[in-house]
Amino acid sequence: MKIKVLFAVLVVATLLAPPTWSQVLSIAEGWRWPQEPTAQDPQPNVFTEPPGPPVDRPAAWPGEPLSVWLTRPREEVRFLEGDWHLLLQKIEELGSVGVVSGNSAIRHFAVGSYAPYRIGVDAWGAVEGEGIDLRVLPKNWAYAAAELPVKSYPAGFAFFDESGALAQRIILPDSSLHAFRSLVEEFYGSRPEFVGRPIVEAATRDTTVPGSISGLLDAWALLKDEHDFEQMLSLHNVSRLDALKAAEGKFTERLDLASFPTLFLKLVLQQVPISVFTVNSGCVQISTGTLAEVNVRPGLLDLKQSDNGSTLISLSRIAEAWRVSKPTSRGTELSLELYGSSGEPLAYFFGSRNGREDAIAKWRETLSALSTSATVPK
């Protein structure tokens, strides 16, 4: 009898215990991918709960869309209102956190400090803390929610765009629950009326104005800093993908989709540092360092970075891969860019100047060796 009672106590204690960081990491890494979409089932976000019976897990699926969060009881979820910049500035009080962000094809997870949080130009926010490097655009977030620490769910925050897709999720350790509850009380809001307006990607803009493309290529040739690239596109009213297509053969090359995963297998052997930019409409998550591990599974490419970041790529959801060169005052900047089926940017990969002196040369050499595509997508 005593043994049964002791066993019952241990089971209850285990169920009520706060999640450990190893559990939190498994939340971000342990999912299966959604099935391929059908005509009646539009392409889901990479975070979407896979079809089938509910999965027994210690926390909510890392990227459930807003429509799923709205079905959960008030004891598990509180919806929030207020100034998102102010809320993000206060995340620093919560100590070490996990951050998950991504898009229809790529997910990135990192653990570290959400500080300092700075507000920059054009309403962008920036985090350059230990382990976490982010650029966020809260004006593109329409909804936010707090997940309460019940049923072994880890506490945290989630931010969604107008379509209800997850832009960013912040996962908290149990040590910061008091500060977390204070933030939830401060930003507590009403349950939203979710319409689910689709996000229209600006994949194609009007480039029919005479001279717009030639002017773009002239400006491209005069670049001195790769950070001026987005401003150049804006000035010429050209989307990023349209610009790559216009510059094909001069500054860009379309790559064979089967060839780009081999880049990472070579980089992990050479220990060449890189920077990975995972993007969506409201967040850019950055990871810089050498690759500690590269795992290739059917349809998946899993990159483990030396900064403890993790990037998971669904290869079937990559529609286009491009090799892009930009002239700068330090020499030619060479990058790999991945795009989805609607022309939306998914991720950018750059060589990093941190580390060995020959790192950039090795990056250029390895990227330049990738095979180009013989076919042009319609």
Side-chain angles (χ1 to χ4, degrees):
M1 182 65 180
K2 290 183 179 179
I3 294 176
K4 290 183 178 180
V5 172
L6 178 60
F7 177 75
V9 170
L10 288 174
V11 169
V12 171
T14 300
L15 292 175
L16 296 179
T20 64
W21 267 121
S22 61
Q23 287 178 300
V24 171
L25 184 60
S26 70
I27 295 164
E29 294 186 337
W31 65 58
R32 295 165 293 155
W33 288 85
Q35 294 178 351
E36 289 302 314
T38 64
Q40 293 76 32
D41 177 26
Q43 179 165 315
N45 184 278
V46 71
F47 296 119
T48 306
E49 175 83 34
V55 180
D56 183 18
R57 58 189 187 275
W61 210 247
E64 288 170 328
L66 180 64
S67 57
V68 174
W69 287 66
L70 287 168
T71 66
R72 297 173 61 186
R74 185 176 179 276
E75 292 74 22
E76 297 179 7
V77 172
R78 296 283 196 279
F79 291 94
L80 308 176
E81 297 175 353
D83 183 337
W84 304 140
H85 280 304
L86 180 59
L87 172 57
L88 295 177
Q89 285 177 324
K90 295 187 175 187
I91 297 296
E92 178 180 0
E93 303 170 7
L94 306 180
S96 182
V97 300
V99 175
V100 186
S101 68
N103 47 56
S104 63
I106 300 174
R107 184 274 291 136
H108 185 81
F109 174 73
V111 175
S113 172
Y114 209 95
Y117 181 86
R118 297 181 291 104
I119 303 174
V121 296
D122 299 326
W124 279 91
V127 179
E128 295 176 300
E130 183 178 352
I132 294 178
D133 194 352
L134 289 170
R135 306 296 179 271
V136 297
L137 192 58
K139 70 178 183 181
N140 284 356
W141 300 344
Y143 311 96
E147 184 164 36
L148 306 184
V150 296
K151 298 181 180 179
S152 294
Y153 284 72
F157 298 100
F159 302 90
F160 307 85
D161 63 25
E162 287 190 340
S163 73
L166 182 73
Q168 179 191 201
R169 185 172 177 188
I170 301 172
I171 306 170
L172 311 179
D174 59 290
S175 59
S176 51
L177 291 185
H178 178 73
F180 166 75
R181 292 189 179 95
S182 296
L183 285 182
V184 174
E185 292 175 4
E186 181 178 351
F187 291 89
Y188 178 69
S190 59
R191 193 177 190 84
E193 293 294 330
F194 176 53
V195 178
R197 293 182 293 275
I199 297 295
V200 179
E201 296 288 348
T204 304
R205 302 180 189 175
D206 181 13
T207 58
T208 60
V209 179
S212 62
I213 293 300
S214 61
L216 168 72
L217 297 181
D218 290 341
W220 195 321
L222 295 175
L223 282 173
K224 300 296 182 184
D225 190 319
E226 64 271 24
H227 297 100
D228 295 333
F229 189 71
E230 287 289 348
Q231 183 181 11
M232 179 194 73
L233 299 180
S234 179
L235 289 174
H236 289 83
N237 190 35
V238 181
S239 75
R240 194 176 184 105
L241 184 55
D242 276 343
L244 301 194
K245 293 176 179 178
E248 189 168 6
K250 186 172 184 179
F251 296 111
T252 67
E253 293 177 289
R254 199 185 309 258
L255 297 176
D256 182 352
L257 288 178
S259 73
F260 85 83
T262 64
L263 170 71
F264 303 103
L265 295 173
K266 294 177 181 178
L267 293 175
V268 71
L269 294 175
Q270 299 170 347
Q271 286 296 283
V272 175
I274 62 172
S275 291
V276 182
F277 290 64
T278 304
V279 303
N280 61 44
S281 62
C283 182
V284 179
Q285 192 161 1
I286 306 167
S287 177
T288 299
T290 56
L291 292 173
E293 187 178 342
V294 175
N295 295 311
V296 181
R297 291 174 277 166
L300 293 176
L301 184 65
D302 191 0
L303 310 178
K304 308 291 187 185
Q305 283 102 357
S306 59
D307 63 356
N308 294 320
S310 173
T311 304
L312 190 64
I313 303 173
S314 176
L315 297 175
S316 65
R317 298 177 186 275
I318 306 300
E320 299 185 44
W322 290 80
R323 181 166 48 223
V324 182
S325 65
K326 306 182 188 79
T328 74
S329 58
R330 299 184 309 242
T332 300
E333 178 79 33
L334 206 61
S335 63
L336 168 67
E337 302 195 3
L338 304 180
Y339 292 83
S341 58
S342 298
E344 73 280 15
L346 302 172
Y348 313 132
F349 300 83
F350 301 88
S352 173
R353 297 184 183 276
N354 298 332
R356 306 195 320 257
E357 293 183 2
D358 66 339
I360 290 295
K362 280 288 186 183
W363 161 257
R364 291 172 181 158
E365 176 186 340
T366 308
L367 180 54
S368 296
L370 295 184
S371 302
T372 56
S373 174
T375 60
V376 177
K378 295 181 181 180

